[in-house]
Amino acid sequence: METVLSIVILSLVTVTLLPAVNSLQERLQNEKIAYRASEAAYNGVKEAAYLGTTKGMIKIDDTEYNWQYNSGEICVTYSDLKGQQKMCVDLQGKSGGLR
């Protein structure tokens, strides 16, 4: 009887914890990718200021970040686990967030 009870408790813990852990891992992965998008935006601003380029691409950890500078705003497009994302930041540092 104790063995059956132990198996039932272990099964319940496993069934409830695995989806929560998986969800947490996905959220952290998306946040990491979004952080890298801000790095790409920073590098794009530097390149636009020093070289005069208006668009480019940087690859970080197998993710491509395409940036484009236009009218005092830099936008970065990239893909995460949710799909295609776009983050824009103006030169005053105000974030347009994900679009």
Side-chain angles (χ1 to χ4, degrees):
M1 183 65 181
E2 291 176 7
T3 305
V4 172
L5 183 60
S6 296
I7 291 173
V8 168
I9 291 172
L10 184 61
S11 297
L12 286 174
V13 169
T14 302
V15 167
T16 56
L17 285 181
L18 284 180
V21 169
N22 188 39
S23 175
L24 181 61
Q25 285 177 329
E26 286 179 8
R27 192 175 81 214
L28 289 173
Q29 180 68 17
N30 285 336
E31 288 179 12
K32 177 181 163 185
I33 292 170
Y35 171 76
R36 297 275 166 75
S38 65
E39 287 182 48
Y42 174 72
N43 289 329
V45 168
K46 288 193 316 185
E47 191 171 319
Y50 294 123
L51 302 176
T53 56
T54 58
K55 61 183 173 179
M57 188 274 293
I58 184 170
K59 191 170 186 175
I60 305 171
D61 291 340
D62 296 327
T63 301
E64 287 186 4
Y65 299 89
N66 294 292
W67 62 268
Q68 184 168 1
Y69 175 78
N70 189 13
S71 301
E73 178 180 66
I74 188 157
C75 292
V76 179
T77 56
Y78 60 95
S79 294
D80 64 9
L81 299 175
K82 295 178 185 176
Q84 188 77 14
Q85 304 293 332
K86 183 175 185 179
M87 179 189 71
C88 294
V89 180
D90 70 12
L91 285 180
Q92 286 76 34
K94 299 175 190 170
S95 176
L98 298 177
R99 295 186 184 170

